[in-house]
Amino acid sequence: MDPVLALGVAGMIFIVIGWAVSITALPPLRLSVLYFMGSLLLTLYAIMIRDPIFTVLNAAAALLALANILRTLKVRRKD
């Protein structure tokens, strides 16, 4: 594997592990909405520049933020 690609994959793995460790905490809705929008735009950007590492990472970040938005809205409806 190309060392530069390996570095990118390793960074992506650490970020995903960080998300997994903190998944039980529910971030504020405002933060999740902003994070979703930013990650979605960065996913599109990464696709346009043909960067597979950042495409996958930002798409995963967008999905995580969307899941947090939905979780927050579900908790608010219960209350």
Side-chain angles (χ1 to χ4, degrees):
M1 178 184 284
D2 174 34
V4 174
L5 180 62
L7 188 65
V9 170
M12 181 173 61
I13 289 170
F14 277 105
I15 289 173
V16 171
I17 290 170
W19 291 339
V21 169
S22 65
I23 196 74
T24 57
L26 196 57
L29 182 60
R30 275 188 289 185
L31 175 61
S32 294
V33 170
L34 291 171
Y35 202 84
F36 172 73
M37 292 169 49
S39 295
L40 189 62
L41 292 173
L42 285 173
T43 301
L44 295 173
Y45 173 75
I47 290 169
M48 293 167 130
I49 65 169
R50 298 179 183 178
D51 187 324
I53 299 290
F54 284 106
T55 299
V56 171
L57 184 62
N58 285 304
L63 290 174
L64 178 63
L66 182 59
N68 283 334
I69 290 168
L70 296 174
R71 286 173 47 204
T72 300
L73 294 175
K74 186 177 178 180
V75 166
R76 286 186 179 182
R77 278 189 222 148
K78 283 184 179 180
D79 295 338

